[in-house]
Amino acid sequence: MPVIHELSDHLADLIAAGEVVERPASVAKELVENAIDAGATQITIEIEHGGISYLRITDNGCGMAPEDAPIAFRRHATSKLRTEEDLAAIGTLGFRGEALAAIAAVSRIDLFTKQAGTLAGVHLHLEAGEITENEDAGCPEGTTMIIRDIFYNTPARMKFLRKDFTEAGYVVGVVQHAALSHPEIAFTMLRDGRQVFATPGNGKLIAPVFSVFGKDMTSNLIEVPVFSRGSLSAKGYITKAHAGRPNRSMQHFFVNGRYIKSRVMQAALEEAYRNRIITGKYPSCAIFLTIPLHMVDVNVHPAKTEVKFAEEKAVFEVVYAACKNALEQDDNIPEIRAHQDKKATPQEQITGEQQPLTVPQQAQEERQAQPIPAARMQAAPAVQSAKTEDRTSQRPASQPAGAPAEPEKKPERYPVTDSYAMLGRTVKVHSLYPKDKLSLQQNRPKKPYVDADDEEGLDWDYLPQLVVPDAMRKPEPQVSDPPRQEQQPDIMAVPTGGARVLGEAFRTYIVAEDETGLLLIDKHAAHERMIFNRLRAQVDIEQQTLLTPVVAEVTATEYAALCEQIEQIRSIGFDIEPFGQNSFVVRAIPAYLDCAAVQETVSEMADKLMNNRVPVPDRLDDLIHTVSCKAAIKAGMTTSLPEMQDFCNRVLQDPDVVCCPHGRPVTVRLTKYELDKMFKRVNQ
């Protein structure tokens, strides 16, 4: 008897369903994509019991003709491909013609569809892929698909489904991805009769972004303007560097309106945050890449969640540059927010003006009705008289006696400039490593703490880039001079950095104010970033020649990647050249690198090149981190007021000092409006 035989159509459909239909979310994804391809502007998704027992997708798209509806459930039946040339430039979300056949094979389906201008629609009922009913029906224009009892005829697949709430979460994720990629479509999702997700469909990307990311995360998002390079362009939203998450679950990538999982785009995003985000944290994003159809292959994964790019390096560069430019324009200053019992009025949010508190009449009458102790009765007239005289003396002569006192307007003592706004910045390419690795060790401060009575305070000459100008230093104290507090020069009248230093908290944080509120600056983090930037900006890279050249063995793919970019590797301090098959000889390395780490470093550079990243070894950046941290001013060091003012000016005038090399923020802002809310000086 023959060993090889053909599978039945039903068994083949079940096997195909195993590739396409993994859970109810897979069904929702295929049907929502069909609705989008049909030109719908409103899509409603309704599920019960996680979508296992009931899933309904309603759209107002073009619908299907009565003669086309039965054909749609056949295998490889589609309206989106006709010739081989169409396969090389796929612009629709669905194209294979397998989804409806696979879904019908493992569920019970009711289809209602009607085209515009027709008198009646059509209703189909299918069970296990077989059409049992085909009749005319009255229904609105568009298509409604009702899926019941998924995997009812394949119990082996049913046992792998999770709880209803978990499966519902996967369906919500599918709808969120569709809403992000198509803000012009209004999405509504109902779960067990309750609305859990909705977008207006007004074409503005911020609307679905707010619905997906939530209020708190949206407040920490940075808009990525459209960045184009050649025929590729990228845009979207990314989080500020200080708002990282412990995982990558909120990274959403889209290519031509299709949600995908891309290692190339993920690597480009995280490379843009290099030396900006805290170790162990990951950025969140919604990045949209537009690429010519012939440069991307979407037919490499059964669920179409992975694609293949013809030029991965070009994709990496455009995503990296777009995200890097957006980060450069952001100051990365977290804001301290007051607890809001009630939302502020739009006028307060726009102008930030102080509004006098209004006391409810009922509460005022209750206080008047309460008895007042005798001791307070005797003291009250005097206190009230003093307060009345004080308010009367402060009231302008032109103001009526019964009118409330106007808030006092203080004149501006100094001009305030927006020195920390970083608009229009572009990506900078830094070379690495200082000339003399021992210079910073020699210039470290001699003592970590300085006595408070030391007149000179901290000797800033030992700290790189933090030398206070001679004009701001105080003269040598004389015996007849008054105490230091009385001879403090008044240099704070016109600060050049846009903020006036008020003092210092815990010998660690500089407290300053500008026209918008208070600024808290971490001395150590800011100074560490200054030194780190200066070391990386060195043009000449000091090399050390190895006494015995090291032969580094690599794989065939690593060998090809290193050979292609060998000049770039030489530019960062390596004397390297091919040596036989799948090996390189290294004769010189950067001065900071340990000789014993050559083999690991070469492999690391090859791995980064294969992932379209800059081939700078992490251990070299780590060494720069260590040198910067040791050379920077430490928390607890005493700093005089002129030195703090000069340091504050440097921080606010340098747009590159927004976080330490480890990703911690340098500056935290407490706005005047939030401060007024804390003290209940404005209505909330």
Side-chain angles (χ1 to χ4, degrees):
M1 58 181 297
V3 178
I4 300 176
H5 59 276
E6 286 189 71
L7 296 176
S8 64
D9 293 341
H10 179 65
L11 183 56
D13 289 340
L14 291 179
I15 295 174
E19 297 179 352
V20 178
V21 183
E22 180 183 2
R23 51 176 21 106
S26 305
V27 178
K29 175 181 180 296
E30 298 292 345
L31 298 183
V32 168
E33 289 180 350
N34 285 343
I36 294 174
D37 290 338
T41 58
Q42 294 181 354
I43 301 176
T44 302
I45 302 94
E46 183 178 357
I47 63 174
E48 294 179 3
H49 302 100
I52 300 173
S53 62
Y54 184 85
L55 171 62
R56 175 172 177 161
I57 310 290
T58 303
D59 68 74
N60 62 346
C62 62
M64 290 183 285
E67 59 272 15
D68 290 335
I71 303 176
F73 291 93
R74 298 178 185 175
R75 293 191 64 190
H76 306 300
T78 179
S79 62
K80 303 163 187 178
L81 290 179
R82 294 188 179 276
T83 63
E84 295 180 6
E85 289 74 16
D86 295 338
L87 191 61
I90 298 174
T92 56
L93 298 179
F95 55 90
R96 294 182 178 179
E98 296 177 320
L100 292 181
I103 295 171
V106 293
S107 63
R108 298 184 175 97
I109 296 181
D110 281 289
L111 167 68
F112 297 88
T113 184
K114 178 177 178 294
Q115 288 184 320
T118 58
L119 296 178
V122 62
H123 167 230
L124 298 181
H125 180 76
L126 297 90
E127 291 196 14
E130 297 294 331
I131 300 177
T132 59
E133 296 183 22
N134 186 350
E135 59 185 2
D136 293 340
C139 56
E141 296 179 0
T143 302
T144 298
M145 294 281 292
I146 302 176
I147 315 298
R148 294 184 175 91
D149 304 328
I150 296 177
F151 299 139
Y152 81 98
N153 56 350
T154 52
R157 299 297 304 276
M158 174 70 75
K159 68 180 182 180
F160 287 99
L161 296 180
R162 309 289 292 276
K163 295 182 180 180
D164 294 351
F165 189 82
T166 303
E167 295 296 339
Y170 286 112
V171 178
V172 172
V174 168
V175 179
Q176 288 178 344
H177 293 153
L180 284 173
S181 59
H182 294 84
E184 73 281 0
I185 301 177
F187 287 87
T188 304
M189 180 169 179
L190 306 175
R191 184 178 65 193
D192 297 327
R194 296 182 56 187
Q195 179 176 303
V196 295
F197 182 82
T199 59
N202 55 9
K204 297 181 179 179
L205 181 58
I206 190 61
V209 165
F210 184 88
S211 300
V212 173
F213 287 88
K215 177 182 178 182
D216 293 338
M217 186 175 292
T218 303
S219 64
N220 287 318
L221 289 179
I222 308 169
E223 183 178 4
V224 180
V226 178
F227 179 84
S228 299
R229 177 170 292 179
S231 58
L232 282 69
S233 64
K235 65 176 183 178
Y237 286 89
I238 57 177
T239 52
K240 295 184 178 181
H242 70 267
R245 289 173 54 86
N247 53 55
R248 299 184 176 95
S249 61
M250 295 300 288
Q251 293 182 358
H252 307 284
F253 301 104
F254 302 86
V255 173
N256 295 337
R258 181 191 304 275
Y259 170 75
I260 65 165
K261 297 176 182 178
S262 172
R263 292 177 59 89
V264 175
M265 297 178 68
Q266 174 186 309
L269 170 71
E270 296 181 1
E271 186 68 22
Y273 282 84
R274 185 178 179 84
N275 298 321
R276 286 177 174 266
I277 197 167
I278 298 176
T279 303
K281 299 289 186 179
Y282 301 94
S284 303
C285 70
I287 299 296
F288 301 86
L289 176 68
T290 302
I291 184 173
L293 299 179
H294 68 275
M295 294 181 62
V296 57
D297 185 3
V298 299
N299 192 25
V300 297
H301 192 273
K304 302 185 291 293
T305 56
E306 296 181 7
V307 298
K308 187 175 182 180
F309 297 108
E311 298 180 9
E312 291 188 347
K313 186 176 181 180
V315 173
F316 179 93
E317 290 177 352
V318 70
V319 174
Y320 170 81
C323 297
K324 189 72 172 180
N325 286 337
L327 287 173
E328 292 287 346
Q329 296 176 11
D330 178 67
D331 56 11
N332 193 36
I333 300 179
E335 290 189 4
I336 302 175
R337 298 184 181 274
H339 177 70
Q340 297 184 4
D341 298 330
K342 178 175 72 171
K343 289 186 177 180
T345 60
Q347 184 65 21
E348 293 171 355
Q349 294 177 352
I350 296 174
T351 63
E353 298 178 354
Q354 295 187 11
Q355 302 291 338
L357 288 177
T358 59
V359 182
Q361 186 67 25
Q362 181 179 359
Q364 186 175 5
E365 293 175 358
E366 290 178 356
R367 287 198 300 270
Q368 293 176 357
Q370 294 178 356
I372 302 176
R376 292 183 57 188
M377 289 283 291
Q378 296 177 1
V383 175
Q384 183 67 23
S385 176
K387 292 182 178 179
T388 304
E389 293 177 1
D390 182 62
R391 289 197 300 265
T392 305
S393 61
Q394 295 179 1
R395 183 183 300 115
S398 60
Q399 184 176 347
E406 296 181 355
E408 181 181 358
K409 297 182 179 179
K410 296 182 179 180
E412 290 188 357
R413 297 181 56 193
Y414 54 88
V416 179
T417 59
D418 190 14
S419 60
Y420 43 84
M422 295 168 286
L423 301 178
R425 291 188 53 79
T426 57
V427 178
K428 292 184 177 180
V429 179
H430 297 286
S431 57
L432 298 177
Y433 321 121
K435 296 180 180 179
D436 187 3
K437 65 177 180 179
L438 300 177
S439 60
L440 288 179
Q441 300 294 332
Q442 298 170 355
N443 290 340
R444 290 175 60 186
K446 296 182 179 180
K447 50 184 179 179
Y449 296 95
V450 179
D451 297 333
D453 296 332
D454 187 356
E455 182 65 24
E456 274 299 312
L458 182 65
D459 192 349
W460 292 83
D461 291 333
Y462 284 101
L463 301 178
Q465 287 196 347
L466 284 180
V467 180
V468 179
D470 296 336
M472 299 185 66
R473 291 191 175 274
K474 295 169 291 184
E476 293 291 336
Q478 304 296 331
V479 178
S480 59
D481 287 345
R484 182 176 61 176
Q485 290 81 2
E486 298 181 5
Q487 67 170 348
Q488 183 73 26
D490 184 15
I491 62 171
M492 304 302 155
V494 185
T496 59
R500 180 170 66 94
V501 172
L502 304 178
E504 186 178 20
F506 311 110
R507 294 188 178 183
T508 303
Y509 306 104
I510 297 175
V511 183
E513 69 168 349
D514 59 9
E515 65 177 358
T516 61
L518 294 179
L519 294 172
L520 302 177
I521 301 175
D522 188 334
K523 294 191 300 183
H524 173 75
H527 193 206
E528 183 181 0
R529 186 70 195 198
M530 290 179 178
I531 299 174
F532 179 81
N533 290 345
R534 184 167 64 90
L535 293 181
R536 296 193 74 203
Q538 294 287 344
V539 177
D540 298 328
I541 300 175
E542 187 72 16
Q543 282 186 334
Q544 56 174 327
T545 303
L546 302 178
L547 294 177
T548 303
V550 176
V551 177
E553 300 288 342
V554 295
T555 64
T557 54
E558 291 175 343
Y559 181 84
L562 290 170
C563 288
E564 185 178 357
Q565 300 291 336
I566 194 168
E567 292 300 329
Q568 190 176 3
I569 297 174
R570 290 169 178 167
S571 67
I572 61 176
F574 288 86
D575 183 0
I576 183 174
E577 62 182 23
F579 186 75
Q581 185 177 4
N582 297 341
S583 62
F584 289 86
V585 59
V586 182
R587 295 187 172 88
I589 58 177
Y592 282 127
L593 185 62
D594 188 2
C595 301
V598 174
Q599 174 67 57
E600 293 81 5
T601 304
V602 172
S603 298
E604 180 185 343
M605 290 189 296
D607 179 69
K608 290 191 173 186
L609 287 172
M610 288 188 297
N611 289 289
N612 299 289
R613 297 174 63 186
V614 180
V616 178
D618 291 336
R619 52 177 51 87
L620 294 184
D621 263 352
D622 292 340
L623 287 170
I624 297 181
H625 289 173
T626 303
V627 173
S628 304
C629 185
K630 292 183 179 297
I633 182 175
K634 304 298 185 296
M637 287 185 175
T638 301
T639 312
S640 66
L641 196 61
E643 291 167 338
M644 287 189 291
Q645 181 66 60
D646 177 68
F647 184 61
C648 177
N649 295 344
R650 292 173 183 267
V651 171
L652 298 183
Q653 291 173 355
D654 190 348
D656 291 330
V657 183
V658 295
C659 62
C660 80
H662 307 286
R664 293 186 292 107
V666 165
T667 307
V668 175
R669 179 181 296 279
L670 175 59
T671 63
K672 183 177 182 297
Y673 179 72
E674 295 292 339
L675 193 61
D676 290 338
K677 285 199 297 183
M678 291 181 182
F679 288 95
K680 309 301 181 183
R681 295 178 63 88
V682 295
N683 293 329
Q684 299 187 25

